[in-house]
């Protein structure tokens, strides 16, 4: 198979349970999913349905109990820790519910960090970081530390940080959770631009049905599986 015909992300028969003492909690049951380059996928579902768990597995932050996940044909959970770390840094972008910004660093430094870790030229990385911060509406806050920013501003810094290395796939957990409508629109604008211009794919877990409805495809996490989102869910906003 040539590389171009390989789907970007393949989730194959993945199950996940957590053990607490002797009791196993089954969270994901035989999940299958294919995401292609430049595709925008929204995952909705009630709290506790396993959405974050699935994102963590895709991001090598947790390990499936069964099944496998391939990124560009590489079986993520069979790779060395070093290769996994390299993939997390270069091929994946993460936007978490809680932003995990480094408190002692400025917005500019936080956004630049993944580029500097990759060993790219500092001046160039800073320029790209500035550009991204401007695009998320924070051009006037680049020297602020996380404590000097509002919740929504911190979230936008985290979004810029996820994009600095031009990842193939962005995994986002509630990226617009703390944002007002116009910042939310800006975030979607950025998603669309990157998927069109750079072929970046997005898997976005969200309760924001307006954001979900704008994505290419919507799935619901229910009973441990990904299911077609019900039409009426999407009609609410259309
Ligand atoms: P969602 O993101 O859809 O709200 P999660 O993926 O965070 O849901 O959690 C799904 C279920 O898995 C929940 O019932 C949660 O309590 C359980 N769970 C998540 N992480 C762990 C863990 N580390 N240990 C035990 N149970 C967990
Ligand atoms: Mg969650």
């Amino acid at each position: 198979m040539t590389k171009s015909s390989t789907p970007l992300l393949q989730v194959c028969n993945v199950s996940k349970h957590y053990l607490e003492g002797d009791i196993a909690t089954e969270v994901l049951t035989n999940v299958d999913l294919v995401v292609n380059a430049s595709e925008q996928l929204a995952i909705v579902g009630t709290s506790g349905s396993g959405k974050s768990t699935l994102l963590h597995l895709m991001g090598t932050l947790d390990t499936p109990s069964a099944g496998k996940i391939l990124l560009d044909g590489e079986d993520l959970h069979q790779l060395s820790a070093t290769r996994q770390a390299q993939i997390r840094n270069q091929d994946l972008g993460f936007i978490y519910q809680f932003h995990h910004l480094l408190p002692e660093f400025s917005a500019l430094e936080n956004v630049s960090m993944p580029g500097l870790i990759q060993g790219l030229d500092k001046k160039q990385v800073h320029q790209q970081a500035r550009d991204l911060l401007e695009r998320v509406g924070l051009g006037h806050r680049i020297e602020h530390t996380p404590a000097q920013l509002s919740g929504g501003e911190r979230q936008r810094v985290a979004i810029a940080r996820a994009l600095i290395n031009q990842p193939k796939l962005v995994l986002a957990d509630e990226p617009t959770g703390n944002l007002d409508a116009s910042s939310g629109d800006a975030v979607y604008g950025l998603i669309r631009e990157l998927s069109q211009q750079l072929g970046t794919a997005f898997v976005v877990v969200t309760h924001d049905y307006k954001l979900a409805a704008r994505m290419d495809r919507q799935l619901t996490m229910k009973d441990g599986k990904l299911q077609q989102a019900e039409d009426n869910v999407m009609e609410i906003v259309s």
Side-chain angles (χ1 to χ4, degrees), residues 10 101 119 170 172 180 188 233:
Q10 292 168 275
L101 298 175
V170 173
D180 57 36
Y188 178 69
V233 169

Side-chain angles (χ1 to χ4, degrees), residues 28-46:
L28 303 175
T29 309
N30 306 117
V31 172
D32 286 305
L33 175 68
V34 172
V35 180
N36 291 307
S38 84
E39 193 175 12
Q40 307 161 14
L41 171 68
I43 297 178
V44 298
T46 54

Side-chain angles (χ1 to χ4, degrees), residues 51-52 97 173 205:
K51 306 180 299 296
S52 296
Q97 236 159 341
D173 207 340
V205 165

Side-chain angles (χ1 to χ4, degrees), residues 57-69:
L57 297 177
M58 290 171 175
T60 72
L61 303 173
D62 204 348
T63 311
S65 310
K68 59 183 178 179
I69 301 180

Side-chain angles (χ1 to χ4, degrees), residues 105-168:
F105 290 98
S106 70
L108 183 76
E109 290 164 334
N110 266 286
V111 174
S112 299
M113 202 63 72
L116 300 178
I117 288 170
Q118 199 187 141
L120 300 178
D121 175 65
K122 186 171 169 181
K123 228 172 147 179
Q124 233 171 332
V125 171
H126 278 184
Q127 189 48 49
Q128 276 166 351
R130 240 179 249 115
D131 177 54
L132 277 167
L133 283 164
E134 262 162 39
R135 286 158 78 175
V136 295
L138 286 179
H140 59 312
R141 291 284 184 270
I142 63 171
E143 295 302 339
H144 284 52
T145 61
Q148 298 168 330
L149 297 168
S150 72
E153 287 173 337
R154 284 199 285 272
Q155 196 149 15
R156 284 181 276 161
V157 173
I159 290 167
R161 181 187 53 185
L163 301 174
I164 188 84
N165 281 347
Q166 302 192 343
K168 295 174 186 165

Side-chain angles (χ1 to χ4, degrees), residues 41-46 49-56 58 95-97 155 170-177 202-208 211-212 215 219 221 226:
L41 171 68
I43 297 178
V44 298
T46 54
S49 57
K51 306 180 299 296
S52 296
T53 300
L54 180 61
L55 279 194
H56 292 158
M58 290 171 175
I95 306 169
Y96 301 102
Q97 236 159 341
Q155 196 149 15
V170 173
L171 303 171
D173 207 340
E174 292 289 347
T176 59
F202 289 83
V203 176
V204 178
V205 165
T206 185
H207 287 106
D208 179 346
L211 176 66
M215 312 279 285
L219 294 171
M221 183 66 83
L226 285 173

